[in-house]
């Protein structure tokens, strides 16, 4: 049963799409900004924060463009929720944006957005972007 709301966010990042893709699609890249440590075994990624672990299944990825995960806890509940990190390049200005799609309970959306804002801020620091 899905009682979570979908929300989307956009962050402009001044870095090359290929570099950004490395940071959003590999365990070593994700552990630089998304979690304290990230391990993967095939499609199963383990994210570690302050000693707690969450596992996510890699649902799909398109090289240089996007990654899409589903938390195993949601998977076991039969939920169709996921989180996706997509790189978007404006054809005219060549501005690079990260598009985040995620789901949260209605009363947790603001908290989720704040978390993503903090995480993307960490990613920008790692990338040397403003």
């Amino acid at each position: 049963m899905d009682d979570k709301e979908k929300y989307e966010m956009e962050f402009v990042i001044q870095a090359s799409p290929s570099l950004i893709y490395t940071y959003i699609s590999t365990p070593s890249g994700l552990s630089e900004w998304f979690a304290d440590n990230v391990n993967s075994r095939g499609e199963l990624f383990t994210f570690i924060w302050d000693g707690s672990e969450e596992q996510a299944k890699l649902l799909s990825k398109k090289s240089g463009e996007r990654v899409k995960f589903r938390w195993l806890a949601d998977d076991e509940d039969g939920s169709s929720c996921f989180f996706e990190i997509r790189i978007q390049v404006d054809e005219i200005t060549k501005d690079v944006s990260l598009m985040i799609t995620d789901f949260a309970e209605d009363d947790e959306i603001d908290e989720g957005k704040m978390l993503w804002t903090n995480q993307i801020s960490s990613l920008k620091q790692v990338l040397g972007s403003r």
Side-chain angles (χ1 to χ4, degrees), residues 7-13 33-34 98 100 102 109-125 130:
Y7 64 94
E8 296 179 318
M9 303 177 73
E10 178 176 358
F11 299 91
V12 175
I13 296 198
W33 66 278
F34 189 75
L98 265 190
I100 306 295
D102 202 355
I109 288 177
D110 287 343
E111 187 181 321
K113 286 183 175 181
M114 197 168 66
L115 187 65
W116 276 113
T117 300
N118 290 339
Q119 299 296 74
I120 299 301
S121 177
S122 296
L123 175 60
K124 285 181 176 183
Q125 283 185 322
R130 285 181 255 116

Side-chain angles (χ1 to χ4, degrees), residues 56-121:
K57 181 179 180 182
L58 178 64
L59 298 177
S60 65
K61 71 178 181 179
K62 186 170 183 182
S63 187
E65 197 173 299
R66 63 180 164 80
V67 289
K68 187 177 188 178
F69 293 95
R70 176 174 297 136
W71 296 113
L72 279 195
D74 287 338
D75 209 29
E76 290 162 4
D77 294 342
S79 169
S80 61
C81 297
F82 61 87
F83 69 96
E84 181 180 61
I85 307 170
R86 194 171 79 248
I87 301 165
Q88 185 171 295
V89 181
D90 185 292
E91 288 183 26
I92 298 166
T93 64
K94 300 297 180 205
D95 286 344
V96 178
S97 294
L98 265 190
M99 309 299 289
I100 306 295
T101 303
D102 202 355
F103 290 79
E105 303 282 338
D106 205 26
D107 60 348
E108 295 174 355
I109 288 177
D110 287 343
E111 187 181 321
K113 286 183 175 181
M114 197 168 66
L115 187 65
W116 276 113
T117 300
N118 290 339
Q119 299 296 74
I120 299 301
S121 177

Side-chain angles (χ1 to χ4, degrees), residues 7-37:
Y7 64 94
E8 296 179 318
M9 303 177 73
E10 178 176 358
F11 299 91
V12 175
I13 296 198
Q14 293 168 337
S16 77
S18 58
L19 181 62
I20 295 169
Y21 186 74
T22 302
Y23 281 96
I24 68 170
S25 65
T26 64
S28 60
L30 286 162
S31 64
E32 292 272 336
W33 66 278
F34 189 75
D36 296 336
N37 196 8

